[in-house]
Amino acid sequence: MKIIKDLNAISSTIPLSLSIGMFDGVHKGHQSIIKKLNLMAEQKNLESAVFTFWPHPRTVFNPNDDLKLLNTIDEKTYLLEKNGVQNLFLKEFDEDFRNLTGEEFVKQILVEKLNVKHLIIGYDHTFGKNKSGDFQLLQKMAPEFGFEVEQVEAVDFHDKHISSTQIRNALSVGNVKEAAEMLGYVYSVSGEVVHGKKIGRTIGYPTANIAVNPIKLLPKKGAYIVDVYVKNNHLKGMLSIGTNPTVNGNSLSTEVYILDFNEEIYGEEISVNFREFLHDEIKFESMEKLIERLDEDKKITEIYPF
């Protein structure tokens, strides 16, 4: 997949089948768009492309909005490529860009820069200043500027349209299985293993402390069954998101105890997939009670089917 960040450097004559949007999560709704995108590209002898932006527009319009995303930019890029997208246009969402009207975006970006011949958008997509661009505007402008446009219907899950917001809501209550069903893959986080307080090793449960990208959404505080990828190993693990209240912790951490593993992995990149929510974060009355619960969680994790 070709990744283009500087639109000013584009002088491509390659005609495109393109879609626009944040594509946060690259979930089943997005996947239905990409499937159509790739099909049209093949049928019409075009190249498939996605036009997306960074950072998220919400954080530009409201800098105090502590929005967490389902994907880092690297994760989103990987998922788009995995789904067969040939070109990714990654535009900084700056002042100039946010002030383009819908019509200006179509003329200056889609037509003059990107040579779009077939445009596919989601069922509720709007673009341009004050959301002045929508499907009706595209239908009106398409004949004049020589491109076709179509709108893809929503994909539903439990009678609701799948959306990035719905998935964030599921994760915020620990429902990682429902999130996975809407995503079409198991939700994960990754990061470098960093030094923590090393309390776990004193009670027989040494944990790897993961430095997760601060833009990445963490599921609800609590304990989870996860599978772990580290140093070319695929292993079972018990992951905790929380502040370690039993030992009066006050900073949020993401720590994983990896079953049947005792290698030194500080500085290594580690990735965990959320399989099952075990329980909420608990403040135990003693370390003995904490160990008892860890023993119970371990038994459940050991027999969990992966």
Side-chain angles (χ1 to χ4, degrees):
M1 182 172 71
K2 289 179 284 188
I3 302 171
I4 303 96
K5 296 182 179 179
D6 184 4
L7 297 187
N8 294 320
I10 297 172
S11 58
S12 174
T13 57
I14 299 170
L16 297 177
S17 170
L18 179 131
S19 188
I20 318 160
M22 268 307 295
F23 284 83
D24 186 33
V26 193
H27 53 63
K28 283 184 175 178
H30 297 138
Q31 290 164 31
S32 72
I33 292 173
I34 295 169
K35 186 177 180 180
K36 187 73 172 176
L37 196 70
N38 291 335
L39 179 64
M40 289 297 102
E42 184 178 349
Q43 289 181 353
K44 297 176 179 292
N45 197 27
L46 310 171
E47 286 195 5
S48 63
V50 163
F51 184 98
T52 191
F53 357 91
W54 197 266
H56 195 291
R58 262 178 58 182
T59 64
V60 175
F61 289 116
N62 183 5
N64 295 321
D65 189 342
D66 189 28
L67 175 68
K68 302 297 184 185
L69 301 179
L70 300 172
N71 297 145
T72 65
I73 192 64
D74 288 341
E75 290 169 347
K76 179 160 67 173
T77 299
Y78 166 78
L79 288 165
L80 290 170
E81 183 170 25
K82 183 180 177 182
N83 280 275
V85 175
Q86 294 173 287
N87 300 273
L88 174 61
F89 297 97
L90 188 58
K91 177 71 177 75
E92 181 185 358
F93 197 84
D94 55 20
E95 279 296 318
D96 289 340
F97 186 71
R98 69 180 279 189
N99 285 317
L100 286 176
T101 66
E103 284 196 14
E104 288 169 340
F105 176 77
V106 172
K107 291 177 185 177
Q108 296 175 24
I109 305 296
L110 299 187
V111 177
E112 295 174 9
K113 291 285 186 185
L114 303 185
N115 194 20
V116 171
K117 295 301 179 186
H118 196 95
L119 184 65
I120 301 174
I121 63 170
Y123 69 97
D124 62 347
H125 185 70
T126 58
F127 58 93
K129 188 175 181 180
N130 299 324
K131 298 183 178 181
S132 53
D134 56 16
F135 183 58
Q136 284 68 37
L137 175 69
L138 291 168
Q139 283 183 308
K140 177 183 172 184
M141 297 183 72
E144 179 184 355
F145 291 100
F147 64 87
E148 297 176 328
V149 59
E150 63 180 301
Q151 195 170 38
V152 175
E153 291 300 313
V155 176
D156 287 352
F157 176 75
H158 289 176
D159 299 322
K160 289 184 178 179
H161 296 337
I162 291 176
S163 68
S164 304
T165 299
Q166 290 289 353
I167 296 166
R168 290 189 198 107
N169 290 343
L171 292 169
S172 71
V173 295
N175 200 336
V176 294
K177 282 193 164 182
E178 186 171 292
E181 289 192 64
M182 290 188 282
L183 285 166
Y185 59 89
V186 180
Y187 192 69
S188 68
V189 300
S190 60
E192 182 183 341
V193 178
V194 296
H195 290 276
K197 295 182 178 179
K198 300 181 174 63
I199 295 170
R201 66 176 57 187
T202 67
I203 57 173
Y205 284 93
T207 60
N209 198 317
I210 308 170
V212 179
N213 189 318
I215 198 67
K216 178 82 173 181
L217 177 70
L218 289 172
K220 176 186 179 180
K221 289 180 185 178
Y224 296 83
I225 295 173
V226 296
D227 49 350
V228 183
Y229 294 87
V230 61
K231 293 179 73 171
N232 296 317
N233 293 299
H234 179 202
L235 304 149
K236 288 185 176 183
M238 297 148 47
L239 180 134
S240 170
I241 299 172
T243 58
N244 298 309
T246 304
V247 293
N248 298 315
N250 52 24
S251 59
L252 188 70
S253 64
T254 305
E255 304 174 49
V256 60
Y257 168 71
I258 309 171
L259 277 65
D260 305 315
F261 186 79
N262 59 6
E263 293 183 34
E264 184 70 63
I265 53 173
Y266 287 117
E268 295 284 344
E269 186 76 10
I270 187 172
S271 180
V272 297
N273 292 349
F274 290 86
R275 294 288 184 178
E276 189 83 56
F277 180 70
L278 283 168
H279 55 77
D280 288 322
E281 183 177 46
I282 303 169
K283 182 172 183 177
F284 295 95
E285 59 190 44
S286 67
M287 292 299 282
E288 289 73 25
K289 292 292 185 183
L290 169 60
I291 295 168
E292 284 179 17
R293 189 54 188 258
L294 287 169
D295 289 342
E296 290 176 24
D297 290 349
K298 184 178 180 182
K299 287 176 184 176
I300 296 169
T301 302
E302 285 174 333
I303 62 172
Y304 187 83
F306 275 62

